[in-house]
Amino acid sequence: MSYRYPDFHPVQEQQTAITHPPGPLLIIAGAGTGKTATLLHRIRYQVITKQMNPENILILTFTEKATNELITRISDLDIPNSEQITISTFHSFCYNIVQNYVNPENHKTSLMERHDIAFMILNRINELTFLRSRQFRLHPRDAIENAFIPFFNRVRDELISPIELSLLIDESNFTVDSVHKIFPGLSPKADPDEALKQLRDLIDVYTIFQTWKHESNVVDYGDMIQQCW
């Protein structure tokens, strides 16, 4: 069947992507080259040619702003039954899966923002009596913002649970002689003993922080991805 592109004039590569049959397809292009338009017209083409059902289409973005933009643009394209297409951020999509299919009806968790995380840890900092790092003890606010939260986020990005994290750490390697193998980017001027203490503290605080959230029935953005996984 013939297909018309409303207000869009694709180049050959874009047209190839748009008409590519349902299945894996990787599109690589620079900023402003029409990636989003190509993606949306691919969806429109697949729906109109009845190769895809709108209810089976999922679009994931990194930000709420991008999600809202896509909802508007899909509506403007006049795609049949476009309201059945699921458009969401990665985090919201994962969160909804856990809430709808894992947690019981009476167990809904609340979302923590970054400032909520900082407040929770700072409010309970006196419970972290095990802290070994002198810097962490002297400057708790800096530790939370510049060490704890970035470390927590990286661990969840790598889909590592507290148990898995503890298994990955071999205590026999926690020596001053091996510190530069653990931290290859560590400055020669840095105190290797302090670096090891900070790593131990980060692991221990991460574990207890996950417990605190579970007790308070809250999750953060990293949990949304990890719990779904």
Side-chain angles (χ1 to χ4, degrees), residues 3 18 35-45 59 69-70 73-74 77 79 87:
Y3 176 80
I18 290 169
K35 294 187 298 297
T36 302
T38 300
L39 172 65
L40 296 182
H41 278 278
R42 170 170 170 74
I43 292 171
R44 185 176 189 272
Y45 174 84
I59 305 176
E69 178 186 344
L70 284 172
R73 292 180 65 173
I74 279 188
L77 277 177
I79 299 174
I87 308 175

Side-chain angles (χ1 to χ4, degrees), residues 84-96:
Q84 297 179 6
I85 297 174
T86 300
I87 308 175
S88 173
T89 63
F90 283 92
H91 294 93
S92 294
F93 179 71
C94 290
Y95 178 74
N96 287 331

Side-chain angles (χ1 to χ4, degrees), residues 36-81:
T36 302
T38 300
L39 172 65
L40 296 182
H41 278 278
R42 170 170 170 74
I43 292 171
R44 185 176 189 272
Y45 174 84
Q46 300 293 340
V47 171
I48 287 178
T49 59
K50 300 187 183 304
Q51 298 184 67
M52 292 183 185
N53 293 322
E55 63 181 10
N56 295 330
I57 296 175
L58 167 66
I59 305 176
L60 296 177
T61 71
F62 287 103
T63 66
E64 292 287 352
K65 179 181 178 181
T67 294
N68 294 330
E69 178 186 344
L70 284 172
I71 291 173
T72 300
R73 292 180 65 173
I74 279 188
S75 176
D76 292 342
L77 277 177
D78 193 26
I79 299 174
N81 300 314

Side-chain angles (χ1 to χ4, degrees), residues 4 15 39 55 63 77 80 100-101 120 136 138 142 145 153 175 194 199 226:
R4 295 184 178 182
Q15 188 167 349
L39 172 65
E55 63 181 10
T63 66
L77 277 177
N100 294 330
Y101 297 102
M120 172 182 277
F136 287 174
L138 289 176
D142 288 343
E145 288 290 341
N153 291 339
T175 64
E194 172 66 13
L199 178 58
Q226 190 177 48

Side-chain angles (χ1 to χ4, degrees), residues 202-215:
L202 288 171
I203 295 170
D204 291 341
V205 174
Y206 170 64
T207 301
I208 196 170
F209 175 61
Q210 293 298 101
T211 301
W212 286 347
K213 286 186 295 181
H214 179 72
E215 292 172 348

